[in-house]
Amino acid sequence: MMMLHYPDPAKLKTKKLMFEDVYPARDSGTLEQLKELSSKRRAIEESINESRFITEAIAREISGGLTSHSEQDLQKLEQYLPLLENLVYHVGLVGDNPRMVRWTSDLQIKWSSALSSSPFFILMGPKFFQIDNLRFELGMVLFLYGAMLREWASEVLLVDLVQSATLFRKAAGVYHYLAHEVLPPLRSVLSSERPPEATPDVSSVMSLICLAEAQAVTIRKAEEKGNTGGLLAKLHYGVAQLFDQANVILHSPTKECKDISVRFVDFVSSSKALHELRSYKYLAEGLRASSQIGVAIGILQLALTNVQRRMPGEEPWRLVFKQEIDEVAATLRKYEHENEFVWHEKIPLDDELPMPEGKRIVSYVAYNPQRWERELVFKI
């Protein structure tokens, strides 16, 4: 069972930050921590901006033996985040001080977007968004962290289904934390424009996507165990419902960000359509097993009619759809042949057909932020 692959959320870029050049430290301990912050962030900058070339062997040695690029980036993010959380906490204690506001503005926190409708200017590279608030930095770093967890989950999918599902659930937890704890206060920050990644709505969508992908991986395990078509139909429809929830947010007239990538929207709607098709396929299989072949034929006919209207634009995704459609069409021909020669059952009208029921069996793994609790003192 193939899943549609959408790696774009991890394709963020950023500009260099030097914390010790902006925030005046009152003591040597604070200065060292600011330098450590800059150093840990530089490792992330160089990786995502691809500004420093190192061999795979050296990257593996630096990371302590990690072979996956996603794992290496996750390690860098996990080393930076506790230091950043500590800075956000201490700056927040005196955040209204005019000097602190100016210093944070002087940082010039800039990130690109991977989910906006026009992420790149031709010949000029990515467009960067600047918001003078440390929560913007924390939000974008956490968004990248969730995206890297999701990428690693996709990488291990072929070798460890349990680990893959867990990583997707962890990513869902990161995005849930972002949507409910980190990003809402940014709504009050004045900014001419902000990337989709800095809005709670898009993090809610990403959380639902990761949950849907976690359940899709769990279904693979259920298929390997030979579970019945009835259960698999419910599980696939549960995945489709999660993607539908994400779709509703993306198309809401009150959504916070209007500038959303068409490819992102297409991924969500196409994933919903694909799992709906699989749900109908297994529902028909269950009906056939209970000798309701006429209803099973009607279900497959309806499924093929629906999916033909919702083919994705991306060629790799179209290939996944084509494979699934061919399989369903072959099953339909088999059932029609059997009904013609053996059962002679009437095919119900579309509005007489049963609808699949959705079943959701996954939940997010709550993200618990770690803060390196060291005092920071500034010359205010």
Side-chain angles (χ1 to χ4, degrees):
M1 181 192 78
M2 292 283 288
M3 290 167 60
L4 303 187
H5 186 48
Y6 181 68
D8 291 18
K11 296 177 180 178
L12 295 172
K13 306 287 182 189
T14 188
K15 295 284 188 179
K16 185 177 181 180
L17 292 187
M18 294 294 287
F19 294 96
E20 69 274 19
D21 290 352
V22 172
Y23 293 115
R26 185 173 286 281
D27 56 42
S28 59
T30 299
L31 179 60
E32 284 306 308
Q33 287 179 65
L34 292 173
K35 287 181 176 179
E36 183 75 358
L37 261 167
S38 298
S39 173
K40 296 300 184 189
R41 193 184 194 275
R42 193 176 308 116
I44 297 166
E45 291 162 10
E46 290 172 348
S47 180
I48 65 174
N49 293 344
E50 300 171 305
S51 56
R52 179 189 175 201
F53 176 76
I54 57 173
T55 65
E56 286 188 16
I58 294 174
R60 188 164 58 246
E61 188 175 336
I62 291 171
S63 66
L66 299 177
T67 55
S68 160
H69 181 69
S70 298
E71 261 193 293
Q72 292 168 3
D73 279 347
L74 283 167
Q75 183 188 66
K76 292 166 188 166
L77 290 161
E78 286 167 357
Q79 290 172 350
Y80 176 58
L81 276 164
L83 298 173
L84 178 60
E85 290 275 5
N86 194 47
L87 179 65
V88 171
Y89 171 76
H90 281 92
V91 168
L93 294 177
V94 289
D96 293 336
N97 183 287
R99 289 185 181 181
M100 187 58 75
V101 172
R102 188 178 73 248
W103 294 333
T104 301
S105 176
D106 290 343
L107 259 184
Q108 296 190 349
I109 304 166
K110 294 180 180 179
W111 285 84
S112 70
S113 171
L115 302 181
S116 64
S117 59
S118 52
F120 295 96
F121 287 142
I122 298 170
L123 302 178
M124 293 175 62
K127 173 183 177 180
F128 284 90
F129 297 82
Q130 178 176 336
I131 299 178
D132 299 329
N133 190 296
L134 281 175
R135 277 189 174 268
F136 177 52
E137 170 73 0
L138 179 60
M140 295 303 287
V141 171
L142 280 170
F143 193 97
L144 180 61
Y145 183 59
M148 286 300 176
L149 281 170
R150 183 171 170 267
E151 282 306 292
W152 189 22
S154 297
E155 287 176 22
V156 301
L157 183 57
L158 296 175
V159 292
D160 191 333
L161 292 174
V162 174
Q163 184 187 17
S164 178
T166 301
L167 288 167
F168 277 124
R169 291 173 58 224
K170 283 183 176 179
V174 170
Y175 287 120
H176 184 271
Y177 175 76
L178 255 179
H180 292 85
E181 303 295 334
V182 177
L183 295 177
L186 269 182
R187 286 189 176 118
S188 61
V189 177
L190 293 175
S191 176
S192 57
E193 54 181 348
R194 64 189 63 209
E197 291 89 343
T199 63
D201 279 357
V202 170
S203 280
S204 293
V205 167
M206 287 301 302
S207 185
L208 289 164
I209 288 171
C210 293
L211 278 178
E213 290 170 329
Q215 178 143 326
V217 173
T218 305
I219 293 171
R220 277 203 194 186
K221 197 74 177 171
E223 287 173 335
E224 286 181 0
K225 289 180 178 178
N227 277 280
T228 63
L231 173 62
L232 295 174
K234 289 178 181 179
L235 293 178
H236 273 294
Y237 205 69
V239 174
Q241 287 174 328
L242 285 164
F243 278 116
D244 186 54
Q245 282 180 256
N247 210 31
V248 168
I249 295 172
L250 287 176
H251 288 91
S252 166
T254 59
K255 67 186 177 188
E256 296 165 289
C257 185
K258 315 293 183 189
D259 183 28
I260 297 285
S261 157
V262 172
R263 178 174 148 85
F264 184 39
V265 175
D266 192 28
F267 166 73
V268 173
S269 58
S270 297
S271 295
K272 175 194 171 189
L274 181 64
H275 286 279
E276 273 186 4
L277 177 61
R278 287 172 175 161
S279 175
Y280 279 108
K281 178 181 74 175
Y282 282 117
L283 177 60
E285 186 181 292
L287 290 164
R288 164 67 188 84
S290 60
S291 301
Q292 298 180 68
I293 196 164
V295 183
I297 290 169
I299 288 288
L300 293 180
Q301 288 174 341
L302 178 62
L304 287 173
T305 300
N306 288 344
V307 81
Q308 294 291 355
R309 296 196 298 261
R310 296 154 74 186
M311 290 291 285
E314 295 280 320
E315 188 56 33
W317 300 347
R318 291 178 74 88
L319 290 174
V320 175
F321 266 67
K322 187 176 185 309
Q323 182 180 331
E324 202 71 35
I325 288 169
D326 288 348
E327 189 178 319
V328 171
T331 303
L332 175 59
R333 286 193 297 272
K334 175 186 168 187
Y335 287 4
E336 286 174 334
H337 180 79
E338 190 177 329
N339 191 47
E340 184 180 348
F341 288 95
V342 180
W343 303 106
H344 310 294
E345 281 195 13
K346 180 188 173 186
I347 314 301
L349 298 172
D350 288 355
D351 58 5
E352 297 171 341
L353 293 169
M355 283 288 292
E357 295 174 23
K359 186 178 178 69
R360 179 169 155 179
I361 58 169
V362 297
S363 57
Y364 65 83
V365 176
Y367 173 73
N368 296 308
Q370 304 297 311
R371 179 165 73 86
W372 197 41
E373 297 186 19
R374 300 292 174 88
E375 189 178 12
L376 297 175
V377 188
F378 306 102
K379 292 179 182 176
I380 295 178

